[in-house]
Amino acid sequence: MILDGVGLPGQVKLTQSSVVVVGAGGLGCPALQYLGAAGIGRIGIIDHDRVEISNLQRQILHNEETLGMYKAESAALAMKRINSELTVDVMAVALTADNAMSLLHPYDIILDCTDNVPTRYLLSDASVALKKPLVSGAAQKFEGQLCVFNLGTNGPCYRCLYPQPPPQESVGSCSELGILGVVTGIIGNMQALETIKIILGKEDQSPSLLLFSALGSPPFRSIKLRQRKPTCVACNNPGAPLNSTDYVQFCGGPSPDWVSEGRIAGLAGHRIQARELHELIMSSTVRPRILDVRPAIEYGICQLPESENVPLKELLSQPEKYIPSSATDLYVICRLGNDSQIAAEALRRMGRGACVKDVIGGLRAWSTVVDSNFPIY
């Protein structure tokens, strides 16, 4: 309240404002923490996922005591410890085209703290229809980005920048690619900052995209964006019902079922379930040859006994070096069952009559159906 340009009137504005955060994960947790601490009058949390132990390195509002709890509920408990007088709306439901308008309508500003493309398009279309600013953040590995969409009369929406979604195979999540936890903290805090600036009237309303690289020098750079795109289907038809679009299919279909199918269905007869491989190991007098195609840094975390590590890039550069004899079966495994399919197909193309099979769902499936104590990362 003693800051020039904020003062008591600014604090009153914050208290009288309402914000909804979609996603209480790596981005949502720091954003929620600082929005709550700043005294935002009403905060909504939308997230239907539950807290898992792998979340804790970056999702700072959750802890070991809230494992298995809905993230929205866990985050609300943590925020109440900071300020017991906060008004927090907990919505442990999935945001869909059918409920988005009703769930988002009561709030002044929307924060996109999700990690999947269909929800990004849905939130963008909803913010345009509701005429509300959308503070969008994203983070993967060592990098993050921040943008405020639909701000002011000519602010672009997400579709203005990305009329078509990227190919599904080019999009990865934190669970697939990994992430440095503090990166989500930086971007999430920046989302809270932009939200506060909008409420206080300190946002200059010049559209820009902020890029962050933890390993870059300098780590931040800003790209000036054009204003609203004249041909944008969302901005030019804000009254269109959201449920007229199948956002999942628009973005390439549902996410793969890693454990039961791997990334793609694959070829019949060229695949083996993790349980089948385990039974083969236990019943065979000669241990099957297992080729692990994960990067060496992942192989060093955990591996199946007597498996051989040949990283996928190395194998694809010289597949002929790793083709077994026709009398030897080869089983290829990786973390989730995607790289192993690529490797197995490359080996089969070399011929020579060898039997090469990939393990469906990879080591994630092994830890699920064979050995619950096998490390998950």
Side-chain angles (χ1 to χ4, degrees), residues 262-332:
R263 191 175 183 91
I264 58 176
L267 300 173
H270 291 308
R271 316 197 71 194
I272 187 172
Q273 296 282 351
R275 190 182 300 280
E276 294 178 86
L277 178 60
H278 177 254
E279 292 172 353
L280 188 63
I281 293 172
M282 299 303 292
S283 62
S284 178
T285 54
V286 179
R287 188 175 183 87
R289 185 184 175 196
I290 302 173
L291 200 64
D292 189 321
V293 295
R294 292 174 298 155
I297 194 169
E298 293 187 33
Y299 185 78
I301 297 172
C302 57
Q303 65 283 139
L304 297 182
E306 299 181 34
S307 61
E308 176 186 357
N309 180 221
V310 180
L312 179 64
K313 290 183 179 179
E314 183 178 327
L315 183 144
L316 293 179
S317 66
Q318 293 181 301
E320 66 278 0
K321 288 179 57 177
Y322 306 101
I323 299 173
S325 67
S326 58
T328 305
D329 292 345
L330 178 63
Y331 301 94
V332 188

Side-chain angles (χ1 to χ4, degrees), residues 146-149 156 161 206-210 223-227:
L146 172 74
C147 190
V148 180
F149 294 111
L161 268 65
S206 298
S208 63
L209 177 66
L210 181 69
I223 299 174
K224 186 177 180 180
L225 300 178
R226 293 179 180 178
Q227 294 185 336

Side-chain angles (χ1 to χ4, degrees), residues 70-115:
Y70 282 114
K71 290 182 180 180
E73 295 176 351
S74 173
L77 284 175
M79 292 170 66
K80 287 284 190 177
R81 294 191 189 102
I82 298 172
N83 182 354
S84 61
E85 296 184 1
L86 284 176
T87 299
V88 182
D89 302 327
V90 175
M91 292 164 274
V93 296
L95 191 78
T96 67
D98 292 322
N99 65 18
M101 295 293 282
S102 61
L103 293 180
L104 302 175
H105 181 267
Y107 303 93
D108 302 323
I109 302 173
I110 304 167
L111 272 70
D112 179 0
C113 298
T114 64
D115 63 354

Side-chain angles (χ1 to χ4, degrees), residues 45-238:
I45 310 174
I46 302 176
D47 196 319
H48 69 292
D49 285 341
R50 295 181 183 270
V51 180
E52 299 178 3
I53 195 166
S54 62
N55 303 149
L56 303 187
Q57 54 89 250
R58 64 192 181 279
Q59 301 181 18
I60 56 173
L61 293 183
H62 313 310
N63 56 59
E64 291 183 349
E65 294 179 0
T66 62
L67 290 176
M69 184 183 293
Y70 282 114
K71 290 182 180 180
E73 295 176 351
S74 173
L77 284 175
M79 292 170 66
K80 287 284 190 177
R81 294 191 189 102
I82 298 172
N83 182 354
S84 61
E85 296 184 1
L86 284 176
T87 299
V88 182
D89 302 327
V90 175
M91 292 164 274
V93 296
L95 191 78
T96 67
D98 292 322
N99 65 18
M101 295 293 282
S102 61
L103 293 180
L104 302 175
H105 181 267
Y107 303 93
D108 302 323
I109 302 173
I110 304 167
L111 272 70
D112 179 0
C113 298
T114 64
D115 63 354
N116 68 87
V117 178
T119 306
R120 292 196 183 279
Y121 279 99
L122 171 59
L123 283 172
S124 178
D125 291 353
S127 69
V128 171
L130 293 168
K131 299 180 180 179
K132 300 179 187 292
L134 175 67
V135 183
S136 178
Q140 278 185 355
K141 301 177 80 171
F142 296 98
E143 300 177 341
Q145 64 181 46
L146 172 74
C147 190
V148 180
F149 294 111
N150 201 46
L151 182 64
T153 56
N154 291 309
C157 75
Y158 186 76
R159 282 187 187 271
C160 291
L161 268 65
Y162 309 105
Q164 295 295 324
Q168 190 183 50
E169 60 271 16
S170 69
V171 179
S173 66
C174 293
S175 62
E176 298 167 58
L177 303 176
I179 189 165
L180 187 65
V182 293
V183 173
T184 61
I186 290 168
I187 300 300
N189 280 323
M190 293 294 292
Q191 287 183 267
L193 174 60
E194 291 301 312
T195 302
I196 292 171
K197 286 164 59 179
I198 294 171
I199 294 171
L200 296 178
K202 302 296 183 182
E203 178 68 57
D204 65 8
Q205 302 206 1
S206 298
S208 63
L209 177 66
L210 181 69
L211 302 178
F212 170 74
S213 173
L215 305 181
S217 182
F220 289 99
R221 62 190 181 98
S222 182
I223 299 174
K224 186 177 180 180
L225 300 178
R226 293 179 180 178
Q227 294 185 336
R228 186 166 291 176
K229 193 173 182 180
T231 57
C232 176
V233 295
C235 294
N236 287 311
N237 190 19

